[in-house]
Every structure is written in C-alpha cells, then in structure tokens.
Amino acid sequence: MSSNPVIQFKNVTFSYGSNRILDNVSLSINSGESVCIIGPNGGGKTTLLKIINGLLQPTGGTVTVFGQSPDQVSCRIGYTPQYIYFDPLFPITVRETVLMGRLGAKWGGPYTSQDKQAARESLNEMGVIDLEHRLFSSLSGGQRQRVLIARSLSCKPDILLLDEPTANIDAIIAAKLYDTLQRLSARMSILMVSHDISIVSTIFQRVLCVNHNVREHTTEDISDTGLAGIYGSHIRMVRHTPYCIPGDKKNE
Amino acid sequence: MSEFITALKNPDMLFLRYALIAGLLASVSFGIMGTYVVVRRISYIAGAISHCVLGGIGVALYLQHAMGYRWCTPLLGAFCSALMAALIIGIVAIKAKQREDTVIGAIWSTGMAIGLLFIARTPGYLDPMNYLFGNILLITKNDVWLIAMLDVVIVFLGLFFYNKFLAVCFDEEFAKTRNVRVEFYYILLLCMTALTVFLLVRLVGIIMVIALLTLPVAIAGFFSRHLWQMMITAIAVCMIFITLGLGISYSKDLPTGPTIIILAAAVYLCIVLASRIISYIRSTMESKNPADKKTNAQNNGL
C-alpha cells in the first residue's frame, strides 16, 4: 500500500440548514487503503460518502480526491447507496441498470461494445451474471444489492464507496459479499459504512468513527467501551458466524 | 368502420385523411414522451402544462383580435405558454423542491384563469370548448406538417439521449455521480413534454391530454421489459386507439376526442382486470402445488 493520499478532508463542515452534520473534519485516506466507517445514525456517515463523490458540497473547508475536486474525478469513484427509491413497475433489466455505471460526460448515443463488456465483467465479478436479463424489480434484496455494487464497479473505479451494503441482506449473502470486497480491496480503495463491527479486521486497515466529527482507530482498537463512547450509549457486540449449508464446502 | 374507410377514400373529405395522418404521426411523440412522463411520474406536470396552454391561447387570441397583431396566432400562444410553463416548473423543482406541488397547482389554475379572462375580453364570439376538448377534424395540411416536424425533434432527442433519460428517470442520484447533468436533462424532458402536450391539445383538447399521454403507456407497461419496448408498444397502441376512435366517432357521429379516450380507458380497464384474474389463478395453482412454487423460486435464484 502506498502512502499517497487519494482522499483529503481539511476542516470540512457540512450543515443541513442550521443542523450541523459534520464539524471541522480532517482526514486522509491513502491509495489502496480500505476503511470502515462506523457511527450512530445521523452522525454523518452517509454525508461523508456523498461529499467524497461530489453529491454534496461542503459548507466549509476543502475536499480533494486524487488532488482534484470530487466532481472532476467522479468517473474514478464507484458509489453504492444503502438503498435506492425506484418504481417497482419501471421496465429495466439488470444489464441496463449496470450499464448506467458507464454513463459519463459524453453527450448521448448508445453504449459502446467496451461499455457492454465492462458491465458483463462487473456482473461476473459480483456473481450475478446469470441475472443479466432479469427485471431489476424482480430481484431479491441481496441480489439487488450485488447488482448495485456491480453497477458501481462497471466504471472500473479506483475508489469504491459502499453505504451499508449488508443492511438488508442475510448473513450468508453478507459473508459472500465480504469475500468479494476482500478480493476487490487488492486493487482499489474501499470505504464502507457499516454497523457490522465483526468484519472490520478481516477487510479493513482502519476504522473511522463518525459522529459529527471523525475519530480514527486501527481495527484492533474497536472494543465495547470504545464503541459506547462513539455511539453515546452501551453497544452490544455480536459476532456473526454464517450458518453453513450442509455440503457447501466454501462456508464449511 | 366500412363507412369510415369509404370516407377516407373520398377526395372531398380530405379533413378526415388529415385527421388520421396527424393522429398517426402524433402517436410517435405520444408514445415516446408518454413513456418518459409515466416512468418519471410527472403526469401531473403534463396536466399543469396542458391547462396553462389555455392561458397562451387566450392571450394570443386577444392580441390578434383586439390589438391587431395578426401574426400572434393561438398556435403560437399555445406553443409559448407550454414551453414557459415547463421552464417555470422545472426551475422551481430544481431550486425549491418542497414548493414544487404548490407551483404546479398555481400554474395549472392560473393558466386557465388567464385564458378564460382574455377570451372573455376578445371581441366576437369565441367558444373555449374547442380548445378545452379539441377537434381532430379541424386539423389542416399545415398542422400535419407541423406535427411531422415536431415528431422529428422528439424522436431525435428521445433516442439520442435515451440512456441519459433512462438514468435520470430511474435513479437521479446515481446519474449525478456519473457526471450526468441531471437538471439539464430534467428541464429538457419537461420542454419535450411541453411540445408533445402542445400537439395533443390540437388533437384531443386540454382536458383530455393526460389520458392520451398516459393510458397507451400504462397498457404498454403490461407487455414491456425495457423502456424502448414500452415506447414502441405505446406508439402502436396509440395509433390503434386514434384510428379506431376516429372510425367509431365518424360512424356513430360522436365527438372524436372523448371517443378515443373512452376507448383507451376501456381497454386499459379490461387489461388490468385480466392481469388480476391471471395472477389470482396462478397464485391459486401454486398454493395447490407448492412444488411448482419451490421450482419457480429456485429458477429465479431466490
């Protein structure tokens, strides 16, 4: 891992009206580094991700990604939201959804064969290539989440931002997703918002605890007492062990 | 219907041919823009734009008849007011989202009120009913050319920006992260909707615009897996409704616009009922044979 910073926050503040979400946040994330973001609801985790990908503009301070403003390098950032609001009657297939990740600054026209190839590769990477022609609305929660991550990967990003990707999926699917993330972390920086503390040491080098401001920890620092300080109340740590399906050698 | 076909062949009844050609040509724009309007869920905006058109028509009639500006035709007034309404709604939606519905309501009713006031002050007798309910049989050769030209614009923009519009309609936030200028495409979509509404007002009138813009698309939705498929099906369905509606209204001496709308609504209702019955039969059969349900779930990767 190089120590070349890809994301830098300097005294960043963000407010919705009079409600201050992030207060004087400074942080730096290096190239190839994978970071887990934890913290209580309303603490500013999603806001932090949205500032990094240029969806929100900070009300104070400066943010640079690859040394430029986030909207100038959005093509190098993949983003998967926690959920998307979509019309269940919307006629769109998985393939078309993933191809959206290939949209760029060009004005119009159809997708190129390179775009289609990249979409297939990312579907393959997430293990959902067999769902390519299915309607997006017909997928289960876990399948949808994997398709949305495939959509973020189709632009071949250098940074992958994931907002609670395991919030609506069961432990087995989550375990498979973590396997994939571990593989991806070898070739890109990953920032993932999660409340699942049990996995942080396996994938991530650092933990950012976000509650209006940011405190940095190594993955070994995370303890019951530390979490209680971050979340403002006692937190029960639960270690998940995925249930093994008999005959499933990978999970056994 | 045989009377209608005979009348179409009659060179003395050119107005009927123009009506049919205009209807078929306009179906292309209705199918494309109707699809975007339905999936983006902005049919209420299309409603506001269509009602605002009366304001433009009223002002144009007043300027033409009372002030002597001969060039200021109702068509020009309708065109300008439709575009203006689209721009105002679009800008308000982007800049102050919480006030969008209020502004739409205001434009909807204020546009109509302005139109009726100016029509009342225009010298001579003018019946607003013609504008409110339209009359496809009053379509002229020039109107046919105008509709064809607007078709070209809508088809070109609708297809060229297809992927961008799809992204903006499906997941606006993600589109922003891909550097898509969401606000620009949203306003462009509203302006194209305004152009289509302007066409529709000539055919079926202000009141019934929303029905013809949405019903063929709603029917197409039952048979489509892709947005482009929905557009093509909606165009075909719209063409069928306009042709049948014209034929029935001519044969039975009924007003054309309402006949087309009633026909579309009846077919939509039948399809909704049929789909409910089919899904009920399927679920009953699956509950009788759980093995089938399990196999289906496995096939679906659940």
Side-chain angles (χ1 to χ4, degrees):
Chain A
M1 190 203 315
S2 78
S3 60
N4 180 27
V6 288
I7 300 169
Q8 273 197 315
F9 276 49
K10 282 183 189 164
N11 307 318
V12 170
T13 55
F14 183 86
S15 307
Y16 286 112
S18 60
N19 188 15
R20 183 159 282 199
I21 307 296
L22 293 177
D23 189 14
N24 205 27
V25 170
S26 294
L27 62 91
S28 174
I29 290 161
N30 295 327
S31 172
E33 192 176 24
S34 292
V35 175
C36 185
I37 300 169
I38 61 169
N41 290 333
K45 304 183 294 297
T46 300
T47 303
L48 191 80
L49 290 193
K50 288 188 174 180
I51 288 175
I52 294 171
N53 69 17
L55 277 175
L56 295 175
Q57 302 300 318
T59 43
T62 54
V63 178
T64 54
V65 182
F66 298 110
Q68 292 175 286
S69 77
D71 49 348
Q72 287 177 302
V73 287
S74 57
C75 57
R76 295 176 71 181
I77 305 170
Y79 171 62
T80 305
Q82 186 181 347
Y83 42 74
I84 60 167
Y85 296 104
F86 73 99
D87 178 358
L89 297 174
F90 201 108
I92 186 166
T93 60
V94 166
R95 185 169 179 263
E96 289 167 323
T97 308
V98 174
L99 271 167
M100 269 180 209
R102 300 292 297 177
L103 284 171
K106 73 169 183 174
W107 269 91
Y111 290 113
T112 63
S113 54
Q114 280 172 320
D115 294 332
K116 289 170 188 167
Q117 182 59 29
R120 283 185 65 82
E121 280 169 16
S122 56
L123 280 168
N124 223 3
E125 180 111 56
M126 293 309 298
V128 283
I129 189 75
D130 53 322
L131 305 176
E132 194 182 10
H133 300 293
R134 286 265 302 275
L135 278 172
F136 182 76
S137 56
S138 72
L139 304 182
S140 66
Q143 288 171 332
R144 241 175 244 173
Q145 201 62 39
R146 280 184 285 165
V147 168
L148 292 179
I149 296 174
R151 181 175 69 164
S152 318
L153 292 175
S154 67
C155 68
K156 311 273 184 199
D158 295 312
I159 299 172
L160 181 62
L161 308 176
L162 302 163
D163 195 352
E164 297 196 46
T166 55
N168 302 310
I169 58 181
D170 62 51
I172 297 172
I173 304 285
K176 284 182 181 172
L177 186 61
Y178 292 141
D179 279 348
T180 312
L181 291 182
Q182 202 157 17
R183 208 171 55 241
L184 291 172
S185 65
R187 64 169 203 262
M188 63 185 75
S189 300
I190 298 177
L191 271 80
M192 185 176 96
V193 171
S194 180
H195 291 293
D196 191 352
I197 313 293
S198 64
I199 50 90
V200 292
S201 60
T202 56
I203 305 173
F204 304 101
Q205 288 94 42
R206 270 199 297 161
V207 178
L208 294 181
C209 304
V210 181
N211 191 6
H212 303 297
N213 48 35
V214 175
R215 285 184 208 164
E216 214 176 288
H217 295 267
T218 61
T219 51
E220 290 79 22
D221 287 346
I222 298 301
S223 65
D224 246 357
T225 329
L227 285 172
I230 296 158
Y231 282 82
S233 60
H234 178 69
I235 299 294
R236 182 176 294 176
M237 283 181 79
V238 179
R239 195 161 295 279
H240 300 284
T241 308
Y243 170 74
C244 295
I245 301 168
D248 184 351
K249 286 177 186 163
K250 198 175 176 187
N251 280 322
E252 279 177 341
Chain B
M1 282 301 273
S2 61
E3 282 173 54
F4 175 62
I5 293 164
T6 314
L8 278 177
K9 289 175 186 168
N10 186 347
D12 294 332
M13 300 185 82
L14 273 177
F15 69 92
L16 206 57
R17 276 189 220 175
Y18 289 149
L20 182 64
I21 295 167
L24 294 178
L25 283 173
S27 298
V28 177
S29 294
F30 300 160
I32 293 173
M33 289 318 298
T35 301
Y36 285 130
V37 163
V38 168
V39 297
R40 186 66 176 75
R41 298 194 172 205
I42 51 169
S43 50
Y44 58 100
I45 291 181
I49 292 170
S50 73
H51 284 74
C52 193
V53 160
L54 189 68
I57 291 172
V59 171
L61 283 170
Y62 180 80
L63 290 174
Q64 196 178 38
H65 293 285
M67 309 294 286
Y69 297 110
R70 308 305 304 169
W71 52 269
C72 195
T73 60
L75 204 65
L76 183 67
F79 179 79
C80 294
S81 57
L83 274 182
M84 206 168 69
L87 287 173
I88 292 172
I89 293 170
I91 290 165
V92 168
I94 290 164
K95 299 288 177 196
K97 283 190 173 171
Q98 72 278 18
R99 297 275 179 244
E100 189 182 358
D101 58 336
T102 314
V103 172
I104 289 166
I107 284 179
W108 188 303
S109 45
T110 312
M112 286 209 85
I114 290 172
L116 291 172
L117 276 180
F118 275 94
I119 287 173
R121 284 287 170 188
T122 302
Y125 176 73
L126 290 165
D127 186 4
M129 292 292 276
N130 276 337
Y131 301 108
L132 291 175
F133 297 99
N135 194 343
I136 195 171
L137 299 176
L138 295 180
I139 293 282
T140 63
K141 195 176 179 178
N142 285 342
D143 291 329
V144 173
W145 278 111
L146 181 71
I147 291 170
M149 281 192 293
L150 286 173
D151 253 0
V152 171
V153 173
I154 297 285
V155 169
F156 173 75
L157 293 175
L159 298 184
F160 187 69
F161 294 124
Y162 176 84
N163 292 327
K164 304 268 179 175
F165 285 143
L166 176 67
V168 170
C169 292
F170 180 68
D171 188 353
E172 197 176 291
E173 188 183 64
F174 185 78
K176 273 184 194 166
T177 70
R178 297 296 91 214
N179 252 353
V180 175
R181 292 157 69 197
V182 171
E183 287 86 4
F184 167 78
Y185 287 104
Y186 182 60
I187 290 191
L188 181 63
L189 203 62
L190 289 186
C191 289
M192 288 163 68
T193 306
L195 285 182
T196 312
V197 163
F198 159 73
L199 287 183
L200 264 174
V201 166
R202 295 283 294 159
L203 299 182
V204 290
I206 289 161
I207 306 286
M208 288 180 285
V209 160
I210 302 175
L212 203 53
L213 205 55
T214 56
L215 284 174
V217 180
I219 292 167
F222 285 99
F223 311 101
S224 311
R225 289 173 60 81
H226 306 272
L227 202 67
W228 58 264
Q229 225 171 38
M230 201 180 201
M231 288 174 183
I232 293 171
T233 315
I235 290 170
V237 168
C238 198
M239 283 179 169
I240 293 168
F241 286 150
I242 287 180
T243 310
L244 285 178
L246 261 175
I248 293 168
S249 67
Y250 180 80
S251 310
K252 305 288 178 193
D253 194 19
L254 294 167
T256 311
T259 308
I260 295 169
I261 303 299
I262 296 288
L263 185 66
V267 172
Y268 175 66
L269 197 65
C270 290
I271 290 176
V272 169
L273 287 174
S275 86
R276 288 284 165 93
I277 292 167
I278 289 167
S279 60
Y280 173 76
I281 292 169
R282 271 191 194 153
S283 64
T284 313
M285 284 171 75
E286 274 176 3
S287 62
K288 278 182 186 167
N289 190 357
D292 283 353
K293 196 175 181 179
K294 198 176 170 186
T295 314
N296 285 342
Q298 280 169 352
N299 289 340
N300 287 335
L302 297 171

